[in-house]
Amino acid sequence: MIAQGIQKGIADYKKQQGIKLREIDKQRKQKARQPQDNPAEPRAEIASNSSTNNLPWILLALSWAGFLTYFIWQ
């Protein structure tokens, strides 16, 4: 009985893993199809992202310029 229970547990585990693998495969295939349908969208996102990367550096430079100006005029 114990051996049968173990075998049944293993069989159930394999079934569950097979279901999970099929779902993962479906999701992977859907993701693979999406870039073919909309190839321009990620490029637009990357272009807008590069301009936002400069903002902290610009703000840092302006703040340092403000500090230097303050100390020079003191």
Side-chain angles (χ1 to χ4, degrees):
M1 286 176 64
I2 293 173
Q4 288 176 346
I6 292 172
Q7 287 176 349
K8 184 180 177 188
I10 291 171
D12 289 343
Y13 177 78
K14 287 181 180 179
K15 286 180 186 177
Q16 289 175 353
Q17 291 302 313
I19 292 169
K20 287 180 184 178
L21 288 174
R22 282 192 292 274
E23 291 296 322
I24 291 171
D25 192 41
K26 286 180 186 177
Q27 291 175 355
R28 182 184 55 84
K29 287 180 182 178
Q30 286 177 352
K31 287 181 183 178
R33 289 181 192 146
Q34 286 177 350
Q36 293 173 355
D37 295 339
N38 299 323
E41 288 182 20
R43 292 180 187 162
E45 184 178 321
I46 291 171
S48 66
N49 195 11
S50 64
S51 65
T52 58
N53 287 341
N54 293 333
L55 181 63
W57 292 107
I58 293 169
L59 292 174
L60 179 67
L62 288 174
S63 66
W64 277 102
F67 292 139
L68 290 174
T69 304
Y70 175 76
F71 286 117
I72 289 172
W73 290 97
Q74 282 287 338

